[in-house]
Amino acid sequence: ISPVSSYNNYYDAPKPAHREVVLKKKFSWRNYPELEAFLIGNRDDYLQHSALNYTTIQKQYNNKLTERLIELASQHGYAFDKEDFTFTAIRDRIRCYYKSYVQSSRKK
């Protein structure tokens, strides 16, 4: 099953019993500590894979990381807005998060 089709199935999956928070286009990771902690916890692996420069291994890793983040979000009652986010858009937001980290690290 492709990441994109599994993401589409995510919208059809049963929702958590508690109220769902919809993540809009301009959300900040820091406002969702479970998601930011996931990104921080996976940072070293992400940066190692990003050094592989667009190989199949890197692409597979990024897709799996995105799938795991979407699942974690769902477990915590967060949903990415269907109007703002495709699977690719979520993957790009993750990439931008790590890119910002690298850029801020270089400034220090």
Side-chain angles (χ1 to χ4, degrees):
I1 191 165
S2 76
V4 174
S5 63
S6 66
Y7 177 69
N8 290 335
N9 292 338
Y10 152 80
Y11 286 114
D12 300 327
K15 302 295 184 234
H18 55 284
R19 190 161 181 251
E20 192 170 72
V21 174
V22 177
L23 304 178
K24 298 295 217 173
K25 191 175 199 171
K26 301 275 184 179
F27 83 92
S28 173
W29 294 109
R30 83 180 87 171
N31 294 332
Y32 303 93
E34 302 92 345
L35 303 183
E36 186 173 40
F38 173 85
L39 293 173
I40 291 168
N42 287 282
R43 183 170 49 214
D44 290 341
D45 280 347
Y46 182 90
L47 295 175
Q48 285 177 351
H49 281 86
S50 69
L52 300 175
N53 292 329
Y54 307 106
T55 63
T56 302
I57 294 168
Q58 181 196 23
K59 186 172 183 175
Q60 289 171 343
Y61 175 82
N62 290 346
N63 286 341
K64 189 65 178 167
L65 184 72
T66 304
E67 289 172 0
R68 290 173 48 218
L69 180 83
I70 291 168
E71 178 60 31
L72 179 68
S74 179
Q75 289 171 5
H76 287 279
Y78 306 132
F80 291 92
D81 189 309
K82 281 174 123 176
E83 300 298 316
D84 294 331
F85 291 103
T86 61
F87 183 88
T88 303
I90 297 168
R91 191 179 60 213
D92 288 348
R93 281 295 302 271
I94 293 169
R95 182 185 53 77
C96 289
Y97 175 84
Y98 290 122
K99 182 178 176 182
S100 294
Y101 169 79
V102 169
Q103 289 173 341
S104 68
S105 297
R106 289 181 182 158
K107 290 179 184 176
K108 293 179 182 179

